[in-house]
Amino acid sequence: MTRPTMEDVALRAGVSRALVSLVMRGSPKVSDLRRTAVLKAAEELGYSPHAMARSLASRTSTVLGVMVSDLHNAFFAEVVDGIDAVAREQGFDIIINTGGRSPTRERRALDSLLSFRPAGVALLSPVVPANAISKAAEQVPIVLVARSSRVSNVDTVNDDGEQGCGLAIDHLVSLGHTRIAHLDGGEGTQAGPRRRGYIAAMTRHGLTPQVVSSEYTDVAGARAIRGLISSDSLPTAILACNDFNAVGAISALEDAGLRVPSDVSVVGYDNTSLAALRHVSLTTIDQPRNEFGRLAAEALLQRVRGERTEPVRHLLHPSLVVRNTTAPPGGDR
């Protein structure tokens, strides 16, 4: 079935294509009578204006692009909820794609978003090279979520990862743990601040840090735990780089016949919806994911409306959420 066009609407309403275009853009220059006729014809034909075509014709856009690092991680879904809420409040739509945590794929994904000529683009925990981000920011407003930047025309929204990991270590130490390992995020964004926060907190408590190379995935979390078990260096507590990684770690611990938290306590990071599930009930560090999204969208729209040229650097404070995966150590093994 052929998609109805603006010309079809104009013919049905008995007006010009230009007038239909004015109606679809919400122009106040159209009389109520003609506006009603055009909207009635559009409804009868099932016509809806294509956002990209509308932006190309008017040289303005009501679309925000969003690139998500990993579609499997619930953290990003909750950030997107915040972006979408603000976008809809301001009359904008969003288009989403993913780079799959690959710098090469993310560069292509970013180019794809830019081809839609969006009003602005939010990059969620991107691993794309900084020069590609700077180049994109010369074309449209860019905001980074869960990644830092010093570029003056790029805005950022982050949490204080050093503080968050400090809260996790303080909690585990208060329970009596002294052998605490950190499954880190490797080369992922914000892995550095979280690693530094872990090391600083362990040092502050007079404890020896044990950083285990990992990634922000459940598979990597499970792999790291199997490595610790095989090397006979399993601690009494684990601070994972995120909730997804923590769930993988818990799965590997249980597969090895170990109990969480009786044998090993586990703390995640993000406080995603996954962590709150009753059968997971993960102790974790909370990031206000929805607020991340809302602040990111507001930063983009401020740039779009020309309200600001100076960069904003939102740094939100995390908090500890205690659930059922942490307890005092069960004794030496």
Side-chain angles (χ1 to χ4, degrees), residues 203-224:
T203 302
R204 173 163 47 83
H205 287 289
L207 304 176
T208 302
Q210 182 183 4
V211 178
V212 180
S213 179
S214 192
E215 297 176 24
Y216 289 129
T217 67
D218 56 339
V219 173
R223 183 169 57 241

Side-chain angles (χ1 to χ4, degrees), residues 19-227:
L19 191 136
V20 173
S21 178
L22 288 173
V23 171
M24 295 304 165
R25 295 205 307 269
S27 171
K29 298 179 181 179
V30 183
S31 70
D32 290 342
L33 183 62
R34 288 193 170 186
R35 187 186 309 278
T36 300
V38 169
L39 293 177
K40 183 174 183 293
E43 182 179 0
E44 291 172 350
L45 292 170
Y47 171 82
S48 60
H50 190 286
M52 181 181 176
R54 187 170 59 221
S55 68
L56 288 172
S58 64
R59 297 191 179 184
T60 61
S61 176
T62 56
V63 171
L64 299 180
V66 180
M67 187 177 75
V68 177
S69 176
D70 186 354
L71 288 174
H72 299 91
N73 191 336
F75 169 81
F76 298 110
E78 295 174 48
V79 174
V80 170
D81 279 345
I83 294 174
D84 184 56
V86 171
R88 285 186 289 105
E89 289 167 6
Q90 300 296 321
F92 283 72
D93 296 309
I94 65 171
I95 52 175
I96 305 171
N97 68 1
T98 181
R101 295 183 296 106
S102 160
T104 301
R105 283 186 57 193
E106 283 197 4
R107 188 187 289 268
R108 290 199 298 266
L110 178 55
D111 288 342
S112 176
L113 283 178
L114 293 174
S115 72
F116 285 89
R117 301 194 184 182
V121 173
L123 304 179
L124 311 191
S125 195
V127 295
V128 67
N131 62 347
I133 295 173
S134 297
K135 184 177 179 181
E138 294 173 0
Q139 302 177 55
V140 298
I142 297 287
V143 63
L144 306 181
V145 175
R147 175 166 169 172
S148 300
S149 175
R150 296 180 180 177
V151 179
S152 63
N153 58 348
V154 173
D155 299 318
T156 60
V157 184
N158 290 294
D159 88 314
D160 189 336
E162 293 189 35
Q163 179 189 32
C165 284
L167 292 172
I169 297 305
D170 289 347
H171 168 65
L172 291 170
V173 170
S174 73
L175 293 174
H177 293 278
T178 57
R179 291 187 288 128
I180 308 167
H182 175 45
L183 309 189
D184 82 350
E187 298 300 316
T189 62
Q190 298 306 298
R194 294 179 190 182
R195 186 164 49 243
R196 290 194 298 272
Y198 160 76
I199 292 172
M202 291 289 284
T203 302
R204 173 163 47 83
H205 287 289
L207 304 176
T208 302
Q210 182 183 4
V211 178
V212 180
S213 179
S214 192
E215 297 176 24
Y216 289 129
T217 67
D218 56 339
V219 173
R223 183 169 57 241
I225 291 298
R226 289 193 293 268

Side-chain angles (χ1 to χ4, degrees), residues 263-291:
D263 296 314
V264 182
S265 287
V266 178
V267 179
Y269 204 111
D270 288 342
N271 194 29
T272 59
S273 56
L274 176 68
L277 292 175
R278 185 169 57 83
H279 70 282
V280 177
S281 193
L282 178 68
T283 295
T284 186
I285 299 300
D286 178 69
Q287 295 191 83
R289 288 87 53 209
N290 190 272
E291 183 68 8

